[in-house]
Every structure is written in C-alpha cells, then in structure tokens.
Amino acid sequence: MSHAIAREMPMTSTHAHRVAVITGGSGGIGAAVARRFHRDGLHVAILDTQREAGAALAAELGERAAFHFCDVTDAAAMDALAARIQQELGQPEILVTSAALTGANFGTVMDFDLEAHDKSWRVNYHGTLHACRSFGRLMIEAQGGSIVTLGSIHGLMPMPSPAYNPGKAALARLTQLLAVELGRFGIRVNGVAPTYVMTDRMRKNFESGRRDEAKMMSVHALESLPDPDDIANAIAFLCSDGAAKITGITLPVDSGLSAAVSYKTYAGGVPW
C-alpha cells in the first residue's frame, strides 16, 4: 500500500489528545508548523492539495500525523473535512491557515491578469475564511481554541503585488473581526506577518541571481531573514498558554523590515 493511500485512511483515536490542523501544511512554513506541533506532542492534520508532499510529510512524522487532501476554495468540502477530522482525531484545538498562492504579483492594478488575481483571492482570502468558519464552529461548540492566520508583511504596507498585497491586508482585518466575534467562546485569533522567508526556493533564487539578496537585506534591521522554523516558533507561541491574553494581533516576524524600510529610505539621509 502506498504512503499516500495509507496516510489518508481513517485514523483510530481515543480522542484524549490535542489536535492541530494546518492548511497548506505539506511544505514551507506549513510543514515547519506541522513538525513543530508534532514535536510538542500534538496530533497534526496536514491539509493540502499536494498529495505526494503531504503524504510524505505524514509518513516522516509517523504516528500522530495524517494527511488529508483539501482544496481550501471549496467551502462545502472544508465543512465535511472538519467534521471528519473531529470524528477521527478529536476536537481540533488549533488551526493554522497557511495555504496560499504567491502568483499574480506582477503588473499594476490597471493591467494585471484578472483571472490570476481572482484565483489568488480564492485561495489566500476565501480559503482562509472557509477554514476559519469550518473549524471555528467546532471550536465554538467546545468553547475554546486558537486560530493563527498566515498573513504577510504585505498586509502592513503597500507593495507592488496587486493581488497578494491587498489580499494579505484583508486577512489582517479578518483576523481582528474573528478575534472579537469568537472571543466570547474562549477562542483566540491572531496572525503572523512574515517578511521574505529563507525557504529552499528563496535560497535558490539568491544563488541563481533571480533575487538580489543585498538589495533585499538593505531594508531589514537584522542581517538575516527568518526561516520557516522561526515562523513556526512564533505561531506556537501565539497558540500557547504564554499568549493566553493575546488576541486580534498580527505579529510581524520580519527581521525588522517594518521598522527599517522607512528609516533606511528616509529622504533626509540615514546617519551612517
């Protein structure tokens, strides 16, 4: 039996454990989050459209991990999957919405590809909304839980990415709305806003010259970018008891970009 088939089969459970659900969990930041929560002893449900990568990660983690095919743009399918995960694994305590597309980042508002723009919003915004509604309803029944949305530094300042940038800004506002609406049920909702993350793909872009590392780092306060584990650690903190009274925020994990970008480009000159 293949790993893909094996890991998508129902898992038996006594339900006496903590459960974390990660959309877009098969690679990059999502995979780092899955590994972090698994190390912390949680059962993890990895949701993604990437069957091979998702099944491989579940097999790597072994017991307490399962992969589920999931198209976050399909609200009805998300509802059904949430019910299945609750039945098979137990009550989801944590939801991390890391499913995202980075396409439609080229051109101007006046001339970008509308089809690519709409696809970006279907995944990045609507997909997050669907996951929050489906799993949020289960958390309401349980009177508790923690949701972390994966935003971006793009959500905090204008950048020339005409689909991704306003979509991430919308996620920051959605996070605040959900925090207020769900707070009375004991559910906390926060976001993280990474800068450019040192993934394998980013490293290859630097090595090939497709990205200018020196130029990118010139607008950060620190001299290195966060890696996926840095983002996962911030998410784990926001879901921990140490953040019990933190809700409705979007936490930059940005090597100081949000502080440095205006400082280092100040028209009056930088004092060094």
Side-chain angles (χ1 to χ4, degrees):
M1 183 180 291
S2 71
H3 286 311
I5 295 174
R7 300 310 298 165
E8 287 194 79
M9 288 180 65
M11 295 178 59
T12 58
S13 169
T14 63
H15 294 188
H17 50 247
R18 302 173 65 200
V19 177
V21 177
I22 304 101
T23 70
S26 70
I29 293 171
V33 173
R35 291 187 178 100
R36 170 59 196 260
F37 282 131
H38 191 267
R39 280 199 310 274
D40 289 346
L42 280 76
H43 286 238
V44 295
I46 301 160
L47 278 52
D48 212 309
T49 57
Q50 305 301 312
R51 291 183 184 274
E52 186 174 345
L57 177 58
E60 171 199 322
L61 296 177
E63 192 175 354
R64 294 186 289 104
F67 168 70
H68 299 270
F69 177 85
C70 176
D71 178 356
V72 296
T73 68
D74 187 335
M78 182 69 76
D79 280 342
L81 182 55
R84 177 185 171 193
I85 288 172
Q86 183 187 46
Q87 180 180 18
E88 295 176 3
L89 287 182
Q91 173 61 32
E93 176 181 330
I94 292 169
L95 169 67
V96 179
T97 61
S98 65
L101 288 179
T102 57
N105 274 348
F106 305 102
T108 69
V109 174
M110 302 306 295
D111 64 15
F112 62 62
D113 182 330
L114 278 175
E115 184 176 346
H117 169 275
D118 293 350
K119 183 177 181 181
S120 175
W121 272 77
R122 284 196 299 273
V123 174
N124 297 357
Y125 180 79
H126 293 113
T128 298
L129 177 64
H130 297 159
C132 290
R133 281 163 56 96
S134 296
F135 288 95
R137 288 173 180 140
L138 300 182
M139 291 179 181
I140 288 172
E141 293 174 5
Q143 294 289 294
S146 181
I147 297 172
V148 178
T149 61
L150 189 65
S152 169
I153 204 68
H154 276 258
L156 306 181
M157 61 186 70
M159 294 184 179
S161 303
Y164 188 82
N165 183 262
K168 289 297 184 178
L171 282 184
R173 184 66 73 241
L174 176 65
T175 298
Q176 292 176 312
L177 296 177
L178 287 168
V180 177
E181 292 185 5
L182 300 182
R184 66 187 184 275
F185 302 109
I187 303 165
R188 296 186 300 106
V189 187
N190 293 293
V192 293
T195 182
Y196 305 97
V197 178
M198 187 59 84
T199 59
D200 290 340
R201 181 178 179 183
M202 181 64 74
R203 191 171 288 106
K204 290 176 181 177
N205 285 339
F206 286 155
E207 291 170 354
S208 68
R210 187 167 179 234
R211 288 275 197 176
D212 186 332
E213 184 173 8
K215 184 176 181 180
M216 185 179 291
M217 296 313 304
S218 70
V219 290
H220 288 78
L222 300 180
E223 295 185 352
S224 61
L225 296 175
D227 62 27
D229 287 339
D230 292 316
I231 312 304
N233 291 339
I235 290 171
F237 165 70
L238 289 173
C239 295
S240 74
D241 291 342
K245 294 300 182 287
I246 300 175
T247 196
I249 70 160
T250 294
L251 174 67
V253 188
D254 66 351
S255 293
L257 182 145
S258 54
V261 68
S262 58
Y263 186 104
K264 291 190 174 186
T265 58
Y266 175 54
V270 177
W272 76 76

